[in-house]
Amino acid sequence: MDFDPTEEQQAARDLAARIFGDLATHERLAAAGTGTDAELWKALCAAGLVEAVEETGLLGLVLLAEEQGRTTAQVPFTASAVYGLLAVARHGTEEQRARLLPGLRAGTTVVTGAFPQSPQSPRAPWVPWLRDATHVLVPDEGKTLHLVPVTGDAVEPVELTAPWSAGRAVLDPASGERIGGPGPEAYEDVLAAARIAFAGLQAGVCAGSLARAVAYTSVREQFGRPLSSNQAVQLRAADAYMDTESIRVTAYEAAWRYDQELSVAEHALTAAWWASEAGKRVVHAGQHLHGGLGADLDHPVHRHFLWGRQLDAYLGCGTELLAELGDLLAQGETR
């Protein structure tokens, strides 16, 4: 197992960090409200970063999702890459790939996923980025995947904890086209990839929250010395750092295995569990270390808190994921 990024992955990550850092500023995010930053999305697509995911694989997407999470950039980048680009590239027919991939690479086609938060739920109660999507990937009751066009008049806006342009819609899978074969194989593969990709996003959210806390406690003084000199602050930050690294390393491992076409189901669940359980600890610590400022809804660290809590619940919360992992291990299955 090799966690060192390839030259292509490193170049894509560096470019993403620069674009997200330049354009996903606190002022622009505040101005965007709950909507997508269209200028940022155009810049990412023009730079070829969406297209790069096809070459750099799921591990490459995890690296780029980290940079999105670090700035909480309001674009459907991670969603469209995993539910659209990777899903079609991996499970689409030759005709579907030729027809759909150019638009996905260019960002003119935006796909999100109406995946349930729990495998036991037949439908997702809400869909992230649905108001910005041209298509949505929907599993039917047999867990066969269908790519369904989104019509704006059928979408009911839903406001989430995080501003993800979410919506609720009555979607008929039969109105779309099937992606992958009949049965749950493609669904389970895309769900595993999504859990890994959003774990990478959570790693970035946590890293951004912790970076803000470290910067604040290093300059904020109490009784004539920085808050960061207090042992309790150091221990709180150290715990948050270890939690963040745990999310990152489990996401990297799962993504690497996915790209190598090794069994990945339990590794995806492990990464998702860390993203859920450790993620909420880190963003709570980020607010706590900011003291009274952490309660300010307009402070940048609060956005990390909102994203972290939303990702905690997305695609299954910790206890559900742990139960699913336990069932998988008890059955002795490795998919």
Side-chain angles (χ1 to χ4, degrees):
M1 173 183 317
D2 185 2
F3 287 167
D4 291 330
T6 65
E7 184 178 343
E8 291 78 9
Q9 290 169 341
Q10 183 62 54
R13 179 167 64 178
D14 291 344
L15 179 58
R18 185 164 68 251
I19 294 175
F20 282 127
D22 288 345
L23 295 182
T25 63
H26 173 60
E27 293 74 20
R28 287 176 61 90
L29 289 168
T34 61
T36 288
D37 187 330
E39 183 179 343
L40 174 56
W41 179 243
K42 290 179 181 178
L44 293 169
C45 296
L49 285 174
V50 179
E51 182 178 359
V53 172
E54 193 175 357
E55 297 296 326
T56 59
L58 184 57
L59 181 54
L61 174 56
V62 167
L63 295 172
L64 299 181
E66 274 192 83
E67 300 307 324
Q68 179 184 4
R70 201 182 303 273
T71 57
T72 61
Q74 289 176 202
V75 285
F77 179 80
T78 303
S80 192
V82 71
Y83 292 125
L85 192 72
L86 290 182
V88 172
R90 194 169 171 103
H91 298 288
T93 64
E94 184 176 345
E95 185 277 331
Q96 287 174 325
R97 291 196 297 270
R99 174 167 46 87
L100 296 171
L101 285 178
L104 288 165
R105 294 166 184 151
T108 54
T109 299
V110 177
V111 179
T112 187
F115 277 39
Q117 295 172 337
S118 168
Q120 287 72 38
S121 304
R123 289 287 184 272
W126 49 265
V127 181
W129 308 112
L130 184 62
R131 282 179 271 163
D132 299 318
T134 59
H135 295 76
V136 58
L137 196 63
V138 185
D140 62 20
E141 293 183 357
K143 295 184 178 178
T144 297
L145 293 178
H146 301 266
L147 190 64
V148 181
V150 175
T151 56
D153 56 353
V155 177
E156 174 190 352
V158 174
E159 299 306 328
L160 305 179
T161 303
W164 288 356
S165 299
R168 183 184 294 110
V170 178
L171 299 168
D172 179 11
S175 65
E177 55 183 308
R178 194 177 75 194
I179 300 293
E185 288 79 11
Y187 165 81
E188 291 173 354
D189 182 78
V190 175
L191 177 59
R195 283 172 165 165
I196 296 165
F198 281 96
L201 188 66
Q202 182 75 301
V205 169
C206 292
S209 175
L210 182 57
R212 291 187 181 279
V214 169
Y216 174 75
T217 56
S218 297
V219 298
R220 177 70 166 89
E221 292 189 355
Q222 188 177 56
F223 305 115
R225 61 179 189 174
L227 286 175
S228 59
S229 64
N230 294 327
Q231 188 179 45
V233 172
Q234 295 171 5
L235 292 174
R236 189 90 159 107
D239 286 342
Y241 173 80
M242 293 305 297
D243 272 336
T244 301
E245 289 302 297
S246 297
I247 301 169
R248 177 180 287 117
V249 73
T250 52
Y252 284 9
E253 180 188 18
W256 179 85
R257 293 183 65 89
Y258 183 91
D259 289 338
Q260 297 298 315
E261 299 189 354
L262 300 173
S263 61
V264 75
E266 58 267 45
H267 298 84
L269 286 165
T270 301
W273 182 84
W274 275 104
S276 174
E277 291 294 302
K280 61 187 174 188
R281 287 198 297 266
V282 174
V283 295
H284 275 269
Q287 282 209 305
H288 183 199
L289 290 174
H290 276 77
L293 279 179
D296 184 354
L297 302 185
D298 295 324
H299 195 279
V301 77
H302 187 66
R303 187 176 292 106
H304 290 270
F305 174 79
L306 297 179
W307 276 62
R309 290 313 308 256
Q310 192 67 63
L311 286 165
D312 162 40
Y314 186 50
L315 297 178
C317 66
T319 52
E320 293 173 328
L321 294 165
L322 198 60
E324 190 178 344
L325 178 58
D327 290 341
L328 190 66
L329 295 176
Q331 296 166 9
E333 297 183 17
T334 56
R335 297 192 298 275

PDB file of all heavy atoms in Angstrom, residues 22-41:
ATOM      1  N   ASP A  22      -8.049  30.672  -3.265  1.00  0.00           N
ATOM      2  CA  ASP A  22      -8.223  32.015  -3.831  1.00  0.00           C
ATOM      3  C   ASP A  22      -9.693  32.423  -3.908  1.00  0.00           C
ATOM      4  O   ASP A  22     -10.020  33.603  -3.706  1.00  0.00           O
ATOM      5  CB  ASP A  22      -7.615  32.070  -5.233  1.00  0.00           C
ATOM      6  CG  ASP A  22      -6.095  32.041  -5.222  1.00  0.00           C
ATOM      7  OD1 ASP A  22      -5.513  32.272  -4.143  1.00  0.00           O
ATOM      8  OD2 ASP A  22      -5.500  31.784  -6.283  1.00  0.00           O
ATOM      9  N   LEU A  23     -10.561  31.469  -4.227  1.00  0.00           N
ATOM     10  CA  LEU A  23     -11.958  31.825  -4.524  1.00  0.00           C
ATOM     11  C   LEU A  23     -12.954  31.472  -3.418  1.00  0.00           C
ATOM     12  O   LEU A  23     -13.993  32.124  -3.310  1.00  0.00           O
ATOM     13  CB  LEU A  23     -12.397  31.159  -5.834  1.00  0.00           C
ATOM     14  CG  LEU A  23     -11.668  31.629  -7.098  1.00  0.00           C
ATOM     15  CD1 LEU A  23     -12.221  30.925  -8.329  1.00  0.00           C
ATOM     16  CD2 LEU A  23     -11.788  33.135  -7.261  1.00  0.00           C
ATOM     17  N   ALA A  24     -12.669  30.458  -2.615  1.00  0.00           N
ATOM     18  CA  ALA A  24     -13.621  30.081  -1.559  1.00  0.00           C
ATOM     19  C   ALA A  24     -13.283  30.820  -0.272  1.00  0.00           C
ATOM     20  O   ALA A  24     -12.999  30.218   0.770  1.00  0.00           O
ATOM     21  CB  ALA A  24     -13.611  28.570  -1.348  1.00  0.00           C
ATOM     22  N   THR A  25     -13.323  32.143  -0.337  1.00  0.00           N
ATOM     23  CA  THR A  25     -13.030  32.973   0.828  1.00  0.00           C
ATOM     24  C   THR A  25     -14.273  33.109   1.704  1.00  0.00           C
ATOM     25  O   THR A  25     -15.403  32.846   1.267  1.00  0.00           O
ATOM     26  CB  THR A  25     -12.564  34.363   0.391  1.00  0.00           C
ATOM     27  OG1 THR A  25     -13.634  35.004  -0.331  1.00  0.00           O
ATOM     28  CG2 THR A  25     -11.335  34.272  -0.511  1.00  0.00           C
ATOM     29  N   HIS A  26     -14.052  33.547   2.928  1.00  0.00           N
ATOM     30  CA  HIS A  26     -15.179  33.709   3.850  1.00  0.00           C
ATOM     31  C   HIS A  26     -16.196  34.705   3.299  1.00  0.00           C
ATOM     32  O   HIS A  26     -17.409  34.480   3.388  1.00  0.00           O
ATOM     33  CB  HIS A  26     -14.659  34.183   5.214  1.00  0.00           C
ATOM     34  CG  HIS A  26     -15.750  34.531   6.179  1.00  0.00           C
ATOM     35  ND1 HIS A  26     -16.704  33.626   6.594  1.00  0.00           N
ATOM     36  CD2 HIS A  26     -16.055  35.708   6.806  1.00  0.00           C
ATOM     37  CE1 HIS A  26     -17.544  34.209   7.450  1.00  0.00           C
ATOM     38  NE2 HIS A  26     -17.164  35.473   7.589  1.00  0.00           N
ATOM     39  N   GLU A  27     -15.719  35.775   2.687  1.00  0.00           N
ATOM     40  CA  GLU A  27     -16.629  36.800   2.165  1.00  0.00           C
ATOM     41  C   GLU A  27     -17.469  36.252   1.011  1.00  0.00           C
ATOM     42  O   GLU A  27     -18.687  36.494   0.941  1.00  0.00           O
ATOM     43  CB  GLU A  27     -15.826  38.006   1.696  1.00  0.00           C
ATOM     44  CG  GLU A  27     -15.122  38.774   2.810  1.00  0.00           C
ATOM     45  CD  GLU A  27     -13.908  38.065   3.373  1.00  0.00           C
ATOM     46  OE1 GLU A  27     -13.367  37.167   2.669  1.00  0.00           O
ATOM     47  OE2 GLU A  27     -13.503  38.385   4.502  1.00  0.00           O
ATOM     48  N   ARG A  28     -16.849  35.497   0.121  1.00  0.00           N
ATOM     49  CA  ARG A  28     -17.588  34.938  -1.006  1.00  0.00           C
ATOM     50  C   ARG A  28     -18.575  33.868  -0.539  1.00  0.00           C
ATOM     51  O   ARG A  28     -19.684  33.762  -1.064  1.00  0.00           O
ATOM     52  CB  ARG A  28     -16.618  34.350  -2.031  1.00  0.00           C
ATOM     53  CG  ARG A  28     -15.862  35.401  -2.825  1.00  0.00           C
ATOM     54  CD  ARG A  28     -14.841  34.742  -3.752  1.00  0.00           C
ATOM     55  NE  ARG A  28     -15.510  33.862  -4.714  1.00  0.00           N
ATOM     56  CZ  ARG A  28     -15.946  34.252  -5.914  1.00  0.00           C
ATOM     57  NH1 ARG A  28     -15.779  35.513  -6.285  1.00  0.00           N
ATOM     58  NH2 ARG A  28     -16.503  33.410  -6.731  1.00  0.00           N
ATOM     59  N   LEU A  29     -18.165  33.059   0.428  1.00  0.00           N
ATOM     60  CA  LEU A  29     -19.055  32.032   0.946  1.00  0.00           C
ATOM     61  C   LEU A  29     -20.265  32.654   1.635  1.00  0.00           C
ATOM     62  O   LEU A  29     -21.395  32.183   1.489  1.00  0.00           O
ATOM     63  CB  LEU A  29     -18.308  31.123   1.918  1.00  0.00           C
ATOM     64  CG  LEU A  29     -17.286  30.176   1.287  1.00  0.00           C
ATOM     65  CD1 LEU A  29     -16.406  29.550   2.354  1.00  0.00           C
ATOM     66  CD2 LEU A  29     -17.983  29.097   0.472  1.00  0.00           C
ATOM     67  N   ALA A  30     -20.035  33.725   2.379  1.00  0.00           N
ATOM     68  CA  ALA A  30     -21.139  34.406   3.043  1.00  0.00           C
ATOM     69  C   ALA A  30     -22.088  35.010   2.021  1.00  0.00           C
ATOM     70  O   ALA A  30     -23.319  34.974   2.186  1.00  0.00           O
ATOM     71  CB  ALA A  30     -20.598  35.488   3.979  1.00  0.00           C
ATOM     72  N   ALA A  31     -21.535  35.541   0.927  1.00  0.00           N
ATOM     73  CA  ALA A  31     -22.378  36.142  -0.106  1.00  0.00           C
ATOM     74  C   ALA A  31     -23.170  35.096  -0.871  1.00  0.00           C
ATOM     75  O   ALA A  31     -24.281  35.361  -1.334  1.00  0.00           O
ATOM     76  CB  ALA A  31     -21.512  36.955  -1.070  1.00  0.00           C
ATOM     77  N   ALA A  32     -22.628  33.887  -0.996  1.00  0.00           N
ATOM     78  CA  ALA A  32     -23.304  32.830  -1.753  1.00  0.00           C
ATOM     79  C   ALA A  32     -24.528  32.291  -1.031  1.00  0.00           C
ATOM     80  O   ALA A  32     -25.422  31.724  -1.662  1.00  0.00           O
ATOM     81  CB  ALA A  32     -22.331  31.694  -2.042  1.00  0.00           C
ATOM     82  N   GLY A  33     -24.601  32.476   0.291  1.00  0.00           N
ATOM     83  CA  GLY A  33     -25.736  31.947   1.039  1.00  0.00           C
ATOM     84  C   GLY A  33     -25.790  30.436   0.946  1.00  0.00           C
ATOM     85  O   GLY A  33     -24.824  29.744   1.252  1.00  0.00           O
ATOM     86  N   THR A  34     -26.925  29.910   0.499  1.00  0.00           N
ATOM     87  CA  THR A  34     -27.066  28.460   0.373  1.00  0.00           C
ATOM     88  C   THR A  34     -26.841  27.988  -1.060  1.00  0.00           C
ATOM     89  O   THR A  34     -27.034  26.811  -1.363  1.00  0.00           O
ATOM     90  CB  THR A  34     -28.469  28.011   0.826  1.00  0.00           C
ATOM     91  OG1 THR A  34     -29.456  28.629  -0.002  1.00  0.00           O
ATOM     92  CG2 THR A  34     -28.722  28.372   2.276  1.00  0.00           C
ATOM     93  N   GLY A  35     -26.457  28.888  -1.935  1.00  0.00           N
ATOM     94  CA  GLY A  35     -26.295  28.523  -3.336  1.00  0.00           C
ATOM     95  C   GLY A  35     -24.870  28.146  -3.688  1.00  0.00           C
ATOM     96  O   GLY A  35     -23.937  28.315  -2.907  1.00  0.00           O
ATOM     97  N   THR A  36     -24.717  27.639  -4.894  1.00  0.00           N
ATOM     98  CA  THR A  36     -23.398  27.277  -5.406  1.00  0.00           C
ATOM     99  C   THR A  36     -22.682  28.516  -5.930  1.00  0.00           C
ATOM    100  O   THR A  36     -23.303  29.411  -6.497  1.00  0.00           O
ATOM    101  CB  THR A  36     -23.547  26.238  -6.535  1.00  0.00           C
ATOM    102  OG1 THR A  36     -23.936  24.992  -5.970  1.00  0.00           O
ATOM    103  CG2 THR A  36     -22.244  26.037  -7.279  1.00  0.00           C
ATOM    104  N   ASP A  37     -21.383  28.554  -5.736  1.00  0.00           N
ATOM    105  CA  ASP A  37     -20.562  29.622  -6.282  1.00  0.00           C
ATOM    106  C   ASP A  37     -20.276  29.275  -7.743  1.00  0.00           C
ATOM    107  O   ASP A  37     -19.385  28.477  -8.049  1.00  0.00           O
ATOM    108  CB  ASP A  37     -19.261  29.744  -5.487  1.00  0.00           C
ATOM    109  CG  ASP A  37     -18.435  30.955  -5.886  1.00  0.00           C
ATOM    110  OD1 ASP A  37     -18.515  31.364  -7.048  1.00  0.00           O
ATOM    111  OD2 ASP A  37     -17.691  31.471  -5.030  1.00  0.00           O
ATOM    112  N   ALA A  38     -21.034  29.868  -8.644  1.00  0.00           N
ATOM    113  CA  ALA A  38     -20.933  29.523 -10.065  1.00  0.00           C
ATOM    114  C   ALA A  38     -19.558  29.861 -10.626  1.00  0.00           C
ATOM    115  O   ALA A  38     -19.018  29.122 -11.462  1.00  0.00           O
ATOM    116  CB  ALA A  38     -22.021  30.243 -10.853  1.00  0.00           C
ATOM    117  N   GLU A  39     -18.970  30.962 -10.189  1.00  0.00           N
ATOM    118  CA  GLU A  39     -17.652  31.351 -10.695  1.00  0.00           C
ATOM    119  C   GLU A  39     -16.591  30.335 -10.283  1.00  0.00           C
ATOM    120  O   GLU A  39     -15.715  29.971 -11.076  1.00  0.00           O
ATOM    121  CB  GLU A  39     -17.274  32.740 -10.170  1.00  0.00           C
ATOM    122  CG  GLU A  39     -15.940  33.245 -10.702  1.00  0.00           C
ATOM    123  CD  GLU A  39     -15.600  34.625 -10.176  1.00  0.00           C
ATOM    124  OE1 GLU A  39     -16.503  35.317  -9.666  1.00  0.00           O
ATOM    125  OE2 GLU A  39     -14.412  35.010 -10.259  1.00  0.00           O
ATOM    126  N   LEU A  40     -16.672  29.860  -9.051  1.00  0.00           N
ATOM    127  CA  LEU A  40     -15.721  28.862  -8.579  1.00  0.00           C
ATOM    128  C   LEU A  40     -15.888  27.552  -9.349  1.00  0.00           C
ATOM    129  O   LEU A  40     -14.899  26.917  -9.739  1.00  0.00           O
ATOM    130  CB  LEU A  40     -15.912  28.625  -7.082  1.00  0.00           C
ATOM    131  CG  LEU A  40     -15.096  27.497  -6.453  1.00  0.00           C
ATOM    132  CD1 LEU A  40     -13.605  27.682  -6.694  1.00  0.00           C
ATOM    133  CD2 LEU A  40     -15.389  27.403  -4.954  1.00  0.00           C
ATOM    134  N   TRP A  41     -17.134  27.151  -9.598  1.00  0.00           N
ATOM    135  CA  TRP A  41     -17.380  25.920 -10.344  1.00  0.00           C
ATOM    136  C   TRP A  41     -16.797  26.029 -11.757  1.00  0.00           C
ATOM    137  O   TRP A  41     -16.153  25.094 -12.245  1.00  0.00           O
ATOM    138  CB  TRP A  41     -18.877  25.641 -10.397  1.00  0.00           C
ATOM    139  CG  TRP A  41     -19.258  24.398 -11.156  1.00  0.00           C
ATOM    140  CD1 TRP A  41     -20.016  24.327 -12.286  1.00  0.00           C
ATOM    141  CD2 TRP A  41     -18.912  23.051 -10.841  1.00  0.00           C
ATOM    142  NE1 TRP A  41     -20.165  23.028 -12.700  1.00  0.00           N
ATOM    143  CE2 TRP A  41     -19.496  22.216 -11.834  1.00  0.00           C
ATOM    144  CE3 TRP A  41     -18.160  22.458  -9.833  1.00  0.00           C
ATOM    145  CZ2 TRP A  41     -19.350  20.832 -11.834  1.00  0.00           C
ATOM    146  CZ3 TRP A  41     -18.012  21.072  -9.828  1.00  0.00           C
ATOM    147  CH2 TRP A  41     -18.607  20.283 -10.818  1.00  0.00           C
TER     148      TRP A  41
END
